Amino acid sequence: MTRGRWRDRCVAALGLTVIWVLLWGSFSALTIVGGLVIAVVVLVVFPLPAVTYAGRIQALGVLRFAGRFALDMVVASFQVVSLAFRFGHVPRSAIVAVTLRAPSDLNLTMTAEALSLVPGSLIVDVDRRRGVLYVHVLGVESAEEAEQFKQDVLDLERRLVRAFGSPAERRILEEAPA
């Protein structure tokens, strides 16, 4: 096993141990050791697939992503509330297929997770081989709104790649049409 793979497993074990301690709500030696043992057992019995991270975290990109993500959460929350309290109106929805431009496993996962956290959108399926996210979107009334949502997802992908992506992924997005 490579040095990077060992490092990844150690980070995963540490993360699982922290979650264990937080769930128990007790910061004692027994809780920490027990959490570490459980984490090692989980990682041996259910090994994680190798995910390589070839990028560097870009501080300015992370700030831009976080700021826009927070704004998207607030705006989407108000949109969902307005749909919920519109009496006599049945909200329409759609399932929109979005083909990502830099469909690495990590980028696909980060984009899907970010989308699922925004109220009114939910990932229903992923075509990993082709890099396609199928997203259920609340409040879509027309084909134009579905296209606008696709563009919003591609913009989200661009912000994520600028924050966390590899140089190769950034090049792909620079060469892709806006």
Side-chain angles (χ1 to χ4, degrees):
M1 192 178 300
T2 66
R3 188 173 99 98
R5 183 85 170 123
W6 274 106
R7 184 193 67 225
D8 293 346
R9 284 186 165 222
C10 288
V11 169
L14 180 65
L16 289 172
T17 303
V18 168
I19 291 170
W20 181 265
V21 170
L22 291 174
L23 287 173
W24 279 102
S26 168
F27 192 74
S28 68
L30 184 61
T31 308
I32 294 169
V33 171
L36 191 57
V37 169
I38 296 292
V40 169
V41 168
V42 166
L43 290 172
V44 168
V45 174
F46 305 107
L48 296 171
V51 176
T52 56
Y53 179 63
R56 259 193 338 210
I57 296 175
Q58 305 292 323
L60 186 58
V62 171
L63 288 174
R64 285 183 180 146
F65 166 73
R68 178 60 192 264
F69 185 70
L71 178 66
D72 288 347
M73 294 274 288
V74 170
V75 169
S77 296
F78 280 111
Q79 289 171 339
V80 170
V81 166
S82 72
L83 283 173
F85 287 109
R86 230 191 216 165
F87 297 108
H89 173 74
V90 177
R92 297 183 57 137
S93 61
I95 297 195
V96 180
V98 183
T99 304
L100 299 182
R101 295 166 293 193
S104 68
D105 285 345
L106 188 59
N107 185 45
L108 196 66
T109 302
M110 288 191 311
T111 306
E113 289 298 326
L115 271 175
S116 289
L117 290 172
V118 174
S121 61
L122 180 70
I123 304 296
V124 292
D125 196 13
V126 175
D127 184 342
R128 182 176 165 215
R129 188 178 51 79
R130 295 185 318 147
V132 178
L133 296 175
Y134 295 93
V135 188
H136 179 268
V137 188
L138 188 62
V140 173
E141 301 283 336
S142 66
E144 293 79 25
E145 288 178 352
E147 285 302 317
Q148 180 59 49
F149 179 78
K150 278 185 187 181
Q151 188 57 51
D152 292 345
V153 173
L154 294 175
D155 292 343
L156 171 65
E157 177 196 26
R158 181 179 300 277
R159 287 189 300 275
L160 279 166
V161 168
R162 286 183 177 161
F164 304 105
S166 68
E169 289 173 328
R170 284 196 282 279
R171 270 193 306 278
I172 288 171
L173 290 185
E174 287 171 8
E175 295 168 1

